[in-house]
Amino acid sequence: MTTPMGAHHHSHGAHDCKMSMYWNWNTVGACFFAEMWKVESEGGFAGLCIGIIITTMLFECIRQLGPWYTKHINRVHSRRRTTDQPMEERASGGAAAEEGHAPSSLPFRPSFGQHLVLALVHTLQFALGYFIMLMAMYYNGYIIICIMIGTFLGYVLVRWRDEVDPSALQRPGSSSSTSTGCHG
């Protein structure tokens, strides 16, 4: 049966769910992903909203974890490379300096363990992003607002101490690490 707002009620006894493929403000009786995940009370819906905010904040944190860990790997590699050089090469800048590269700017491959950590971070980011997208696809106004609140709070929490490179802002066509959208 269809209601005026496009909500579909599936009659299965005690498992009636309010589901809509159109913009809605359903709270009690709304189902997400399965009939088992049915909101039974206003408190339950408030808990769902808080969970969505926390999940989206976590997504923002994990989104920054990959670049942070990559910088950490680079710092460790740079320190190791500098301490592994003979004293004479360190004083003169080494063979890399003769080729026009600082020792820490030479390309290298992370260890397999480091690569696995980066892959795990990427997978967690993908899984949380997909979950958030699926929640948004219920077109529930409250859920979408909670996603926006969580994104805002997560960004503020994770990025408030970031330094801004003024030269990057002045270069035409330069991209920022704070891109938005699916590929950010």
Side-chain angles (χ1 to χ4, degrees):
M1 150 170 86
T2 304
T3 63
M5 291 299 290
H8 298 284
H9 294 277
H10 303 284
S11 296
H12 297 291
H15 296 288
D16 289 344
C17 288
K18 293 180 189 173
M19 296 179 67
S20 177
M21 294 305 293
Y22 301 103
W23 188 262
N24 69 84
W25 297 96
N26 296 334
T27 56
V28 176
C31 292
F32 298 92
F33 298 117
E35 289 180 7
M36 291 177 7
W37 194 356
K38 180 181 178 187
V39 178
E40 300 286 346
S41 66
E42 290 178 8
F45 191 78
L48 174 66
C49 288
I50 291 168
I52 294 295
I53 291 170
I54 291 170
T55 300
T56 311
M57 289 174 67
L58 182 62
F59 173 79
E60 285 296 320
C61 291
I62 290 173
R63 191 172 150 206
Q64 294 307 309
L65 191 56
W68 175 85
Y69 188 64
T70 300
K71 287 178 187 176
H72 171 74
I73 292 169
N74 284 329
R75 280 192 303 269
V76 168
H77 175 74
S78 176
R79 277 189 227 123
R80 224 180 260 146
R81 191 162 182 101
T82 302
T83 57
D84 288 347
Q85 283 182 328
M87 185 61 82
E88 308 83 50
E89 280 190 39
R90 273 188 267 164
S92 68
E98 293 171 14
E99 297 171 15
H101 298 287
S104 60
S105 69
L106 293 174
F108 73 98
R109 290 187 191 271
S111 71
F112 186 69
Q114 292 167 330
H115 185 68
L116 286 178
V117 170
L118 287 169
L120 177 65
V121 169
H122 177 77
T123 302
L124 287 172
Q125 178 183 342
F126 180 85
L128 279 176
Y130 196 70
F131 171 79
I132 293 165
M133 180 207 58
L134 288 173
M135 290 301 291
M137 288 178 61
Y138 281 91
Y139 299 103
N140 184 295
Y142 297 113
I143 298 299
I144 291 173
I145 290 169
C146 289
I147 290 169
M148 291 179 194
I149 290 170
T151 300
F152 174 80
L153 293 175
Y155 186 90
V156 167
L157 177 72
V158 174
R159 305 292 303 263
W160 78 280
R161 298 283 297 181
D162 281 1
E163 294 178 354
V164 177
D165 179 6
S167 64
L169 299 174
Q170 296 169 358
R171 286 189 299 247
S174 66
S175 63
S176 169
S177 64
T178 60
S179 63
T180 59
C182 298
H183 306 287

